[in-house]
Amino acid sequence: MEVEEDTSWNGVEHTGEEAIDVDELRVMYCAADSFQQYPRLAHYQTTHLRRQSFYSLPQAHLRLLSSPPFNYLETLSKVDDCIDSNAELSRAIFKAALSNFNLGVPDEKSRTATDTLKIPDEWAGCAKNGDVDKARSTIRQFYRDWSAEGKRERDVCFRNVFKVVEQEQKRLKEGEKLRVLVPGAGLGRLVFELFLRGCIAEGNEISYHQLLASSYILNCCERAGQYEVFPWVHGFSNHRTRRDQFRGYKVPDVHCMSETMRVQEETGRVGEMSMTAADFLCEYAKEENAGAFDVVAAVFFLDTAPNLIRYLDVIYGCLKPGGVLVNFGPLLWHFEGVMPNKSENQAHMSGGDDMTGIAEPGNFELTDEEVMELVTKVGFVVESRETGVEAPYIHDTESMLQTVYRASTWVARKPVIKADTS
């Protein structure tokens, strides 16, 4: 399904005015290469090193654990099988990235019809361990965003968004469609669900790991349940039974093209869908985005801000008068403890108080109550608020360790005429 047919980015719009620079190209190739390297590094870190440690045990202990009921070596073999299953999805994302994002070059040594492209030699093996960790995390995230079992997590944080969208759609004139922005769109599930509900849904994402994966699942995946992912297989702690570690989940739970056609036939209400690859602050502070959206749906997003004032100002600016910000999430401040590096950040600054994006220096953290005060100071009018909403996130319900956010969700409207907040 082509969600942005006029671009070779297959559903992702690159918003830079000039050609992609070397630094951005490096990030793109590292992300793509990390999906290719995932199985190698996952096998090494998860089972190879454990086998080495296992064979270092005293012989009596080794024999005991090799036998029933432990069968530890069989366990490691099963882990390898699960990693191989995850790798089927990982390799599919990699192959799609080479063609859809114009990252590949012809592979003259290929002996198969499916591997006709490769990463250019100068970028081969560029992904570091941290990049591959992000690929592994992305594979795990498919459980939350694109499995039937992950629906419980999605319902908790999408529910208020859908409620607001339904209410705002009633305000529209005949034939109009609600324009909704989803910053930090991740693997694109919320964007897709809003599209199915008749919205002009625009996702924004800065992570190329997320962009490559979402582009594949939205545009290239051939059928529902095409892959089986094993999100808990990389860790050996807090499993009640070995069976729990080996739970697999079919993804995606829906085939996007088939679901689109079904909803179109039944309701005639599907909208439009696109993704932008850009720094949220830089892209949506642009003049062409001023007053462009009816709704901004911030789900597990606001706490990614080093400077929340910047986020709220940009959201306020890109909303139409009377537009709505609906928020859901905890306050796990992503930049907590990050010390400013003036020399590094100066390259991103144009001087003074100009908008330069998420890389600008300076950060702070607020409490939930202080966030609400700041929302009103920016100029929003808070219409509803609920706190303490239990919100799991890629949550293993069978684990002996249970961690669940108690999130805050609220709706704030941009007044038609901005009130004096001084």
Side-chain angles (χ1 to χ4, degrees), residues 342-359:
K342 187 173 182 180
S343 61
E344 286 186 5
N345 283 313
Q346 277 181 333
H348 300 283
M349 297 294 288
S350 56
D353 195 42
D354 294 337
M355 175 66 67
T356 58
I358 198 171

Side-chain angles (χ1 to χ4, degrees), residues 146-307:
W146 290 100
S147 78
E149 293 81 359
K151 186 175 185 298
R152 173 176 173 266
E153 293 191 11
R154 297 194 298 271
D155 283 348
V156 171
C157 55
F158 292 176
R159 187 180 300 119
N160 208 24
V161 175
F162 297 153
K163 179 182 177 181
V164 168
V165 163
E166 184 177 351
Q167 292 173 343
E168 296 304 302
Q169 284 176 324
K170 294 176 181 178
R171 300 172 182 265
L172 299 178
K173 297 177 181 179
E174 183 72 25
E176 289 184 336
K177 292 183 178 180
L178 205 69
R179 291 202 64 190
V180 184
L181 173 63
V182 182
L187 295 184
R189 186 58 184 260
L190 180 55
V191 175
F192 181 67
E193 294 292 344
L194 292 169
F195 157 75
L196 292 180
R197 285 163 171 78
C199 300
I200 301 175
E202 181 172 322
N204 166 250
E205 181 56 60
I206 197 172
S207 165
Y208 277 110
H209 287 83
Q210 303 282 310
L211 288 164
L212 298 182
S214 64
S215 178
Y216 174 76
I217 211 69
L218 290 168
N219 297 290
C220 306
C221 190
E222 296 176 356
R223 64 182 185 277
Q226 185 171 349
Y227 302 97
E228 187 172 17
V229 297
F230 295 84
W232 326 124
V233 76
H234 304 98
F236 280 67
S237 298
N238 288 311
H239 296 297
R240 294 190 303 170
T241 71
R242 199 58 75 184
R243 182 175 60 255
D244 290 339
Q245 185 179 8
F246 296 137
R247 279 172 294 143
Y249 307 89
K250 295 289 187 178
V251 298
D253 58 320
V254 295
H255 178 238
C256 293
M257 177 61 76
S258 300
E259 186 69 2
T260 298
M261 294 174 63
R262 182 190 68 80
V263 172
Q264 178 68 49
E265 291 174 359
E266 291 182 1
T267 69
R269 68 178 183 181
V270 297
E272 301 172 25
M273 178 169 58
S274 63
M275 292 279 282
T276 60
D279 183 308
F280 168 73
L281 293 179
C282 294
E283 176 62 18
Y284 293 96
K286 291 180 179 178
E287 185 175 351
E288 60 260 35
N289 283 317
F293 296 95
D294 300 287
V295 177
V296 173
V299 176
F300 279 83
F301 176 71
L302 291 187
D303 57 1
T304 68
N307 181 346

Side-chain angles (χ1 to χ4, degrees), residues 39-51:
R40 179 189 63 81
L41 195 60
H43 283 305
Y44 177 77
Q45 293 179 335
T46 313
T47 58
H48 177 74
L49 294 179
R50 280 186 170 83
R51 285 190 179 94

